[in-house]
Amino acid sequence: MSIGDRLSRLRALSFRGRPLRLQGAMGAVARNLGWLLASRGVVAVLSLFYIGFATRSLGVKDFGRFALVSGASQALATLVAFQTWQIIVRYGIEAQAQGDTARLGRLFRTCAVLDLASATLGIAMAVAILELWGEAFGIGPTLLRATLIFTVTQLLTIRSTPTGILRLRDRFSSAAIADSVTPVMRFVGAAVVMWFHPTVQGFLLAWGLAELATAMTYWALIIRDGDWRLFAARDWFDWRRVAAENPGFVRFALSINANSTLNLSSKQVPLLVIGAFVGTSSAGIFRLTAQLAQALAKLSQMLSRAAFAEVVRMVERATIMRLLRRMALGSALGSLVIMAVVVAIGRQALETIGGPGFGVGYPVLIALSAAGCVELTIVGLETVMTANGRGAHDVFVARSVSVAIMAVAAWALIPVLSSLGMALAVLIGSLSAGLMLMIRLPRVIAR
């Protein structure tokens, strides 16, 4: 037998054999996660600086106003977005494996149209919200124009489609480069604003320019790598054909949109609730603590994004379960380490970054970090369930129940504990989400 034949047999065994397949999947997840961590490492370091620039320049109250504006814009973008990157990975893998570029192009174009439609809907909603409830969020006439410009920019720079293309192609290194543009631009912009024009409007401008630069970088990478050619076709948008070629397309798109909307419950909505019912100063403190605690949520998102494509490729129940157990064990150990660090230096970090007035947010930081640890531990469950097209509905059910439980807890705890009550409600919601996902997982895996 020739050396070439032996190598071919070895590749076949590596693909069909369960242990080697699992090792390959774990290696791919680790490699993808490594690129995402490299990007997020830049974000983590620079975010400490640019958030510090904003808090110390604006003070507690004005920073709270800035946090409410930026948080509301991000919430609106998430509310209308379809998370098309998951659609591209979920359905693009088969078309890519078959070399069907025409089908792949139709999928890309449909997802781009969904992003554009989301942005259009979001802009209309933003105008209506600012007209009706702008004053409730502390947005006066002088801040209204800057808020609207920032929100429109946030919506028009939704970049889920190019993100999905890069992840489908396993170009996580390129995606990491594009993601790093945001913190770099925010750092430079925040420094300039702090020095020359330390106002809420100035920081909104800096944040908006950072989003614009990141979106342009993503699309520049798509053009550079040649995938832009798949957007050039006569039948530019034929959603009926896309739905026929990809069974369950509409159901999956609606499910992940609903799931991303529900995920707002533990990220942006608590901040808006604090701003509306407690005050802008408390919102500023809550925003800084959430910024530090959400590093855990971002870590769980990175792990999910790194593993999603590999899980989609798997079909064997035993292999999926082994991957899930390894992800859960690694996430749990990481959560324990991070939680210990937060407890040890959390107060000092808040006061160092924001100033002495932010140290009172330490209990809130503990509760939100605990919620982040829970989300990090259960991220594998949601990844596996979403990768199975019909499992996205089960995730939606689990998240819906957890949101309802969190809302009841917030209603009971906020009048008594203020911001800490909201943070504890987020923790209760995360725990209930984990319990519901574990209950529904066997049903999804059985498929």
Side-chain angles (χ1 to χ4, degrees), residues 1-13 16:
M1 182 181 294
S2 67
I3 293 177
D5 291 336
R6 291 177 182 176
L7 287 174
S8 298
R9 287 190 62 186
L10 180 59
R11 293 190 189 100
L13 289 171
R16 290 194 294 266

Side-chain angles (χ1 to χ4, degrees), residues 180-392:
S180 298
V181 172
T182 301
V184 171
M185 290 295 295
R186 283 185 180 180
F187 174 79
V188 173
V192 172
V193 170
M194 181 183 65
W195 187 261
F196 293 103
H197 190 58
T199 62
V200 174
Q201 293 91 324
F203 283 103
L204 286 176
L205 176 62
W207 261 236
L209 290 175
E211 294 295 326
L212 183 61
T214 304
M216 291 174 63
T217 303
Y218 261 106
W219 284 109
L221 291 170
I222 298 300
I223 294 172
R224 184 201 67 178
D225 295 334
D227 283 315
W228 179 257
R229 290 192 295 270
L230 296 179
F231 287 86
R234 292 181 179 178
D235 58 335
W236 208 88
F237 178 58
D238 189 352
W239 69 269
R240 288 187 178 88
R241 188 170 182 181
V242 171
E245 292 174 336
N246 304 284
F249 178 89
V250 175
R251 177 187 174 96
F252 184 73
L254 293 175
S255 294
I256 59 175
N257 173 260
N259 291 336
S260 66
T261 299
L262 289 174
N263 283 336
L264 284 173
S265 61
S266 61
K267 297 177 179 65
Q268 305 299 338
V269 170
L271 172 65
L272 302 180
V273 171
I274 293 300
F277 293 99
V278 183
T280 54
S281 296
S282 296
I285 296 173
F286 192 90
R287 178 68 178 86
L288 180 59
T289 58
Q291 179 75 21
L292 297 179
Q294 282 180 7
L296 290 167
K298 291 177 181 177
L299 184 58
S300 66
Q301 291 170 7
M302 284 188 289
L303 183 57
S304 174
R305 291 167 182 172
F308 189 79
E310 299 307 316
V311 176
V312 169
R313 293 185 176 102
M314 291 182 176
V315 294
E316 296 177 359
R317 181 179 185 274
T319 306
I320 293 174
M321 291 303 296
R322 284 197 295 272
L323 177 64
L324 184 59
R325 284 194 293 269
R326 292 190 181 186
M327 289 174 63
L329 178 60
S331 299
L333 292 175
S335 296
L336 290 175
V337 173
I338 295 173
M339 197 66 205
V341 172
V342 171
V343 172
I345 64 172
R347 185 184 297 275
Q348 292 87 338
L350 287 171
E351 293 179 348
T352 300
I353 297 170
F358 287 85
V360 296
Y362 177 65
V364 176
L365 176 63
I366 296 296
L368 292 178
S369 297
C373 286
V374 173
E375 293 290 340
L376 178 59
T377 302
I378 67 174
V379 66
L381 303 177
E382 189 166 348
T383 301
V384 168
M385 293 170 70
T386 304
N388 176 330
R390 289 175 294 177

Side-chain angles (χ1 to χ4, degrees), residues 317 321 385 437-447:
R317 181 179 185 274
M321 291 303 296
M385 293 170 70
L437 289 172
M438 285 189 289
I439 291 173
R440 301 186 74 89
L441 178 66
R443 173 183 171 184
V444 175
I445 292 296
R447 297 170 186 164

